[in-house]
Amino acid sequence: MNSSKELFHLFPALETERLLLREILPSDAESIFKLYGNQAVMQYRGAPVFVLGGEAVELEAKFRQQFVAREGIRWGLSLKGKEEMLIGTAGIRSISWQHLRAEMGYELDPQHWNKGLMTEALTEITRYCFQALKLHTIEANIAPANLASARVLEKLTFVKEAHFRENWYYQGWWDSIIYTLHNNNPVQQSSSKK
């Protein structure tokens, strides 16, 4: 077991130049529903768009349970000065403490696309995962058509390592592109707009 697991007693709030990355709370269910109920947000997720408010409540509980079980951390993204409203979420899941590896996931309200906000958030999350949790590898699994997500990962110096054909089924077969970043590949520390 890794001693970094001891960090999971209090949820780690993080900050960037423009964002507060905070714990997702039951009171955020409406914002989560807005995100996961948006077809543009869900286009490349290979999962159904939310149609019932209860789905958001269940997802918030799942994020909380992952943290309690030390299996993942999902931050809510809020603009500074508007902390009560989530504009996205981002974090890691499927942490392997034996191999010091985790999978990254994220989404952002389309009103805030193309402003460098997700790059800013993921830069800070990556820094936390490598410095505080001492992870060795962060992996991101994206759909090949998700070019915006690929650009964000490449800005963070993630490397495309694999293209799996038809390895995910949701209303048809999906391919997956795997990007990885290793702790020996330094991340840009600047969280400025890109």
Side-chain angles (χ1 to χ4, degrees), residues 17 86 162 165 189:
E17 181 181 347
L86 294 187
R165 296 184 58 206
Q189 292 301 312

Side-chain angles (χ1 to χ4, degrees), residues 102-145:
E103 181 179 339
M104 179 175 275
Y106 44 88
E107 67 280 322
L108 188 66
D109 187 306
Q111 294 180 46
H112 301 282
W113 289 358
N114 301 312
K115 298 177 182 177
L117 289 169
M118 189 54 74
T119 301
E120 194 173 307
L122 296 184
T123 297
E124 183 61 19
I125 289 171
T126 301
R127 182 202 62 75
Y128 179 84
C129 290
F130 286 160
Q131 292 182 7
L133 299 183
K134 309 299 184 190
L135 295 184
H136 180 262
T137 306
I138 301 173
E139 174 183 305
N141 180 335
I142 68 170

Side-chain angles (χ1 to χ4, degrees), residues 24-26 29 32 55-65:
I24 299 171
L25 303 170
I32 292 173
E55 293 171 293
V57 173
E58 290 174 8
L59 185 59
E60 182 277 327
K62 179 180 177 181
F63 290 153
R64 190 168 0 99
Q65 180 53 39

Side-chain angles (χ1 to χ4, degrees), residues 7 10 12-13 25 31 53-54 60 63-64 71 85 99 110 112 119 139-140 142 169 177 183 187:
L7 295 171
L10 293 174
L25 303 170
S31 293
E60 182 277 327
F63 290 153
R64 190 168 0 99
E71 296 171 351
M85 182 183 303
H99 303 293
H112 301 282
T119 301
E139 174 183 305
I142 68 170
Y169 189 87
I177 302 287
N183 203 354
V187 179

